[in-house]
Structures are given as C-alpha cells and as structure tokens.
Amino acid sequence: MSKRALVSSLLAVAAVGAITAGGIAMASSATDPTLTNGSARYVPPTGARAGTFTYTADVSDDSGIRGLNVVAWPASSELAPTEGDLRFVDTATCVRTSDETSRCTYTFKVTEKEAAEAAQGTWNVSALLTAKDGNTLYVPAAATFEMKG
C-alpha cells in the first residue's frame, strides 16, 4: 500500500471516529425534564362569580414538552397521588416559549357549593411532566395553597 493510500485511510478512520465520538457526546448530553417556578393560587367564589384554582409552572426538556398533568388534594387527607395516578388526571395548557421550554397553566373553576364542601386549610399540588421523548418528571410536592371560604 502506498503512503498516500495509508494516510488517506488513517484520516478517514480518524474522521469517522471523531463523528462517532461527537454523536456519543451529543447523545449523552440529553437533559432530564425540569419544572421550575411552580405556584398555586386559589381565589374563592364570591356572589355569582365562580372561584378559581390556578397552577402555573415553567417546564423544559431538550426534546420539547408533551404535557403537564396536575392534581390538587387536601393535605389533611390520606391521599398521596403516585406518578401512575397522575397519568389519568387533567392536563395543563402549555404555551411554548422556546424549542425546549414552555409555560404551563392549569385552571379550574370552583363553585360556591364545591368550595363549601371542600376541605379547608392547606392543599398540595402534584405534577407529572412528560417530554416529547417520553422522559417524565414526577413532582409529588409541586406547590401548596390555602383553601379558604
């Protein structure tokens, strides 16, 4: 084999190695989903106006966001929703703020009757974030709020 052919072969092997190493480095740099700035707010109903419960969070993943499931439950109860339970609850509305990040908001209306029948005091919020690549993040204590009136 000539020197020229040997050098070309070695350069090709080095180039393939560099591409492969770069691909492995890119694959291993994938990030897990994140949930930040989660907050919950309850506004009791007044007169003819319904009350509202709202949970808002900033979520991100390098593959993008598929959805955020949210459930609120009284801290005084024996409930302890699991990741599996959250797959079957309501989904927040997510608005993309970049390729990887979204702001998700979950809101539901509360009637006077529902407010009167609900446990008063501290409530917990649990959340399940699902990325487009299927990765999940379960946050059993995503936020708390006070249910009054």
Side-chain angles (χ1 to χ4, degrees), residues 14 21 26 33-34 36 44 57-58 78 82 88 106 113 117 120 122:
M26 286 179 64
T34 61
T36 57
D58 296 323
E78 294 184 20
T82 65
F88 304 102
Y106 173 72
K113 181 180 182 205
E117 294 173 352
Q120 300 296 300
T122 302

Side-chain angles (χ1 to χ4, degrees), residues 4 37 53 59 76 78 83-84 91 104 140 147:
R4 197 175 288 171
N37 303 321
F53 161 75
V59 296
S76 62
E78 294 184 20
E83 180 174 345
T91 303
C104 298
M147 175 72 82

Side-chain angles (χ1 to χ4, degrees), residues 1-36:
M1 185 183 290
S2 74
K3 278 186 177 180
R4 197 175 288 171
L6 181 62
V7 169
S8 294
S9 295
L10 290 174
L11 287 174
V13 168
V16 169
I19 291 169
T20 302
I24 290 170
M26 286 179 64
S28 66
S29 68
T31 60
D32 291 328
T34 61
L35 184 149
T36 57

Side-chain angles (χ1 to χ4, degrees), residues 25-96:
M26 286 179 64
S28 66
S29 68
T31 60
D32 291 328
T34 61
L35 184 149
T36 57
N37 303 321
S39 65
R41 181 172 179 222
Y42 171 69
V43 176
T46 56
R49 207 172 97 205
T52 57
F53 161 75
T54 303
Y55 175 75
T56 303
D58 296 323
V59 296
S60 63
D61 186 76
D62 59 349
S63 69
I65 302 304
R66 183 180 299 154
L68 179 69
N69 295 19
V70 178
V71 68
W73 48 281
S76 62
S77 73
E78 294 184 20
L79 295 175
T82 65
E83 180 174 345
D85 295 334
L86 264 75
R87 295 182 190 281
F88 304 102
V89 299
D90 293 334
T91 303
T93 300
C94 297
V95 177
R96 204 168 103 184

